[in-house]
Every structure is written in structure tokens, then in C-alpha cells.
Amino acid sequence: MEPDPTPLGGHAITFVGNATTIVRLGSFTLLTDPNFLHRGQRAYLGKGLWSRRLQDPALTIAELPALDVVVLSHLHGDHFDRIARRELDRSVPLVTTEHAARRLARSGFDTHALNTWDTWQLTHADETLTVESMPGIHARGVLQSLLPPVMGSLLTHHGPSGTPYTVYLSGDTLTGDHLDAIRERCPDIDAAVVHLGGTRILFSTVTMDAVQGLDFLRRIRPSVAIPVHYDDYRVMKSPLADFLAAVKADSEPWRVAAPARGETIELKSSAR
């Protein structure tokens, strides 16, 4: 199954499954959080924890388009699995946390480590793409020390028009003051890819549920939100329907685009 084509010079996102998307910004093509395990296979979550996948990804690695960069929020088995480790092109730049970069470099990947607010840039003729690391909190309390460091990513595309287009990948973060810091630095986010699911590990919630997802919208205020990471694994307890219901019941007219697996949605610049 080939992803839908993107209008020349336009921006689009294809939802592959879990937190895996293909993001097209102008002439750049990015892959996020590559998770290509099939239904029934188990993802390793660390510290002896596993979770079984419930849904198949829409594409295989062999069906991916040519990639300019892979952006990885953190090194968990439902975000970078054994299939990705075995089959992804190791020469494609992989931008991620220091923790993940150090480990994946040992497997021969071209890793680029970012600390919070660090940037990494690509150039194509008269276009540039910047990846900036955003703060993220995967867990609080004792569990925080047991989970790998996580980052969000702000993708900024500059093309010939001179008007930037921004996509914020939330990563597996909970809500909190760190999102206010992002909003202060980046007040005009065009699109936000929001990791949801209300994932429960060791009796703790480690990804946003429906209530936190709505809080995320209120803090970040993107022009459009694209929910992902909500029903692929047994540890996910907050379905997409709960988030959509919370958004619909809110007093503000949030714009949410929830693509089906394999569906491509065009990202349009908003008037701010």
C-alpha cells in the first residue's frame, strides 16, 4: 500500500499506526517513531515489561518513500522496534535524544542527539527544515527514573514563500508547565501530532489520556491537532473516542483531524 501523493510543494501527514507517521514538508520527507511490528507481536517497554500489538501498521518499511530524516521521540519498543532496527536504512539521519542516539549509533545508525531546545537542520536548494527538541515528561515520581528520556520535536519548514510552517510532535509526554514553556517560545504552531492513549504502566499513566489531551490543546493551541498513539497496544486505556468527545464538549472550537491508518491528510497554512 503506497501512501497518497502530496501536492507538489505542499505539506501532509500519513498515519501509519501508533506514533508512526510520514510527514511531508515541502520537498522533505520525514518518518516519525518507526514501529512496524504486526498485530500479535510484542513490543519491549524496558525493565522486563512487554505489550502486545493489537493493530497492524498501514505500511511496511519496504513500502516507505525515500526519507530525508527519521525523528524518534524516545527508545521504547513501540516507537523503535526490532523490525526498524533490522530494516531501516542506517544512512538516513536519525534525530533523537542523547540516550537513544548513543544506543542506536552502536547499531550503525547515523544518529544526531539533541538536548532540549537544541536544533538540527537540513537544506534542499531554497528550502530548509529545522528539527528542534522540545521538553517532554514521560512519567512522574519513581517511574520517571525507570523510563527512557523523551523529547517532543518542533519541525519548521521554510520555503521560497518565506512563510514558515510548523509541526509539533508531542512525543510521549504528560501535560504540565513544560507545555507552557513551549507555547511561550512557539506561539504559532500550525499542526500538533498528539500522542494519546492514556498508557498505563505499573499503575501509572505515562501518556496523555482524553482529559490531558484537551489540556494539551488549551496550553499549546495548535491550528490543528492530529491524534495518534491511542489503540495499538494493550497498555493503552484511553480510546480516541474519549478524546474526540472531550474536544466536542469543550467551549472552544478546536480543529482536530484524525486520519485512519494509511490515510494522508493535507496540512494547510492557517491565517493567524
Side-chain angles (χ1 to χ4, degrees), residues 83-101:
I83 296 175
R85 190 182 294 264
R86 183 175 64 243
E87 297 183 17
L88 277 179
D89 183 350
R90 285 168 167 77
S91 68
V92 175
L94 195 159
V95 180
T96 186
T97 63
E98 281 196 0
H99 170 269

Side-chain angles (χ1 to χ4, degrees), residues 31-34 70-76 79-80 94-97 100 104 151 153:
L31 178 69
T32 71
D33 292 307
V70 177
V71 178
L72 174 63
S73 63
H74 66 303
L75 195 55
H76 252 164
H79 291 257
F80 195 97
L94 195 159
V95 180
T96 186
T97 63
L104 292 175
M151 73 177 198
S153 299

Side-chain angles (χ1 to χ4, degrees), residues 171-222:
D172 279 9
T173 189
L174 301 174
T175 57
D177 293 345
H178 60 291
L179 297 183
D180 298 333
I182 292 171
R183 166 74 179 170
E184 184 175 350
R185 287 175 64 104
C186 315
D188 297 321
I189 291 175
D190 291 297
V193 178
V194 190
H195 293 203
L196 296 170
T199 306
R200 298 279 293 177
I201 296 178
L202 298 177
F203 308 105
S204 296
T205 299
V206 298
T207 65
M208 291 182 285
D209 58 15
V211 172
Q212 288 200 50
L214 181 57
D215 183 60
F216 174 95
L217 295 185
R218 291 169 175 166
R219 291 176 186 263
I220 296 296
R221 311 193 71 82

